[in-house]
Amino acid sequence: ETGVTQSPTHLIKTRGQQVTLRCSSQSGHNTVSWYQQALGQGPQFIFQYYREEENGRGNFPPRFSGLQFPNYSSELNVNALELDDSALYLCASSLGRGAYGYTFGSGTRLTVV
Amino acid sequence: AQTVTQSQPEMSVQEAETVTLSCTYDTSENNYYLFWYKQPPSRQMILVIRQEAYKQQNATENRFSVNFQKAAKSFSLKISDSQLGDTAMYFCAFMIFQGAQKLVFGQGTRLTINP
């Protein structure tokens, strides 16, 4: 079985630009979550998608948005990038409620200059 | 408030020694799960061990075990016979169910196993 794959691995953007990060869930997983991990910090919950619907969101502004596709892959979009958006973005997938823990990808390192 | 506190930013032990990482948490939820994840330089979060809050018995996975004290909201991780491959950042987290199943993480402990 394949794990969670994220693309790209690294990205440099300019303040004010828009970015799209991609995630392929582990085979059979129907729930995907996105986390932001600033340098030296623990990950923070951005939002979660279940069967193509957003079913929960953390304390992030609306310029952070997402999609989940019928094959359960997902995108994270960030508009009007700010310097503080520089972080590692982690995608995690699970089957259903995720009580057995998520499978994480290796993340996308976003640098905003 | 939903918070996790890991009071040890860094720890270092010799190979084969036993090490304990501390974690306390705060939540008003009654239904939650607790996790320890490790994050090596590859950046991928890897599940180490999980604990259901409604179970009193401490979870064990090979060399890894937890000491779960629900009343004290404490969830420490013990690594026995530590190995070089255990070197990583370790994050304590709990999962709550508020619509989404959301993990709340601590700030991590950097563990180094020395040869």
Side-chain angles (χ1 to χ4, degrees):
Chain A
E1 77 186 7
T2 58
V4 176
T5 57
Q6 293 187 242
S7 63
T9 55
H10 295 86
L11 199 54
I12 300 175
K13 288 287 191 177
T14 302
R15 189 171 51 183
Q17 285 188 316
Q18 178 267 342
V19 67
T20 297
L21 310 182
R22 294 179 174 83
C23 171
S24 293
S25 304
Q26 180 168 317
S27 178
H29 284 185
N30 55 14
T31 302
V32 64
S33 304
W34 287 90
Y35 288 80
Q36 181 196 64
Q37 186 178 16
L39 196 61
Q41 304 291 318
Q44 292 205 324
F45 176 72
I46 303 175
F47 45 55
Q48 184 177 81
Y49 281 83
Y50 173 67
R51 294 185 177 179
E52 304 177 60
E53 298 284 333
E54 184 183 298
N55 71 336
R57 188 178 185 91
N59 190 25
F60 281 82
R63 59 189 185 83
F64 286 78
S65 63
L67 282 173
Q68 187 181 30
F69 301 100
N71 66 354
Y72 302 132
S73 65
S74 177
E75 289 182 353
L76 165 65
N77 299 289
V78 187
N79 294 323
L81 284 167
E82 301 177 359
L83 297 180
D84 284 349
D85 296 335
S86 295
L88 179 68
Y89 288 85
L90 294 166
C91 173
S93 73
S94 64
L95 178 61
R97 291 171 66 81
Y100 289 91
Y102 294 147
T103 300
F104 280 84
S106 295
T108 294
R109 172 74 67 192
L110 173 65
T111 302
V112 182
V113 297
Chain B
Q2 318 273 11
T3 59
V4 176
T5 301
Q6 294 180 248
S7 59
Q8 304 147 313
E10 294 189 28
M11 295 190 73
S12 178
V13 298
Q14 297 298 118
E15 193 176 7
E17 289 184 344
T18 294
V19 59
T20 299
L21 308 184
S22 300
C23 172
T24 58
Y25 61 92
D26 187 22
T27 179
S28 56
E29 300 289 323
N30 289 319
N31 180 27
Y32 56 91
Y33 293 79
L34 294 153
F35 301 88
W36 278 96
Y37 280 90
K38 67 181 278 189
Q39 187 177 41
S42 66
R43 308 183 319 200
Q44 184 181 18
M45 286 281 188
I46 300 167
L47 178 63
V48 175
I49 199 165
R50 64 182 284 274
Q51 171 84 41
E52 294 101 330
Y54 60 86
K55 286 190 176 179
Q56 291 187 336
Q57 184 174 4
N58 289 323
T60 300
E61 286 287 343
N62 301 314
R63 299 182 294 108
F64 300 88
S65 61
V66 298
N67 182 2
F68 174 45
Q69 303 289 329
K70 189 172 184 179
K73 293 184 178 175
S74 171
F75 184 60
S76 61
L77 174 69
K78 185 172 81 171
I79 306 174
S80 303
D81 186 27
S82 57
Q83 300 175 358
L84 298 179
D86 295 333
T87 293
M89 284 291 290
Y90 285 79
F91 291 94
C92 176
F94 66 84
M95 177 181 285
I96 55 176
F97 303 90
Q98 295 176 334
Q101 297 81 58
K102 166 185 161 181
L103 278 167
V104 178
F105 286 89
Q107 292 200 315
T109 295
R110 182 176 302 279
L111 176 64
T112 302
I113 310 298
N114 299 306

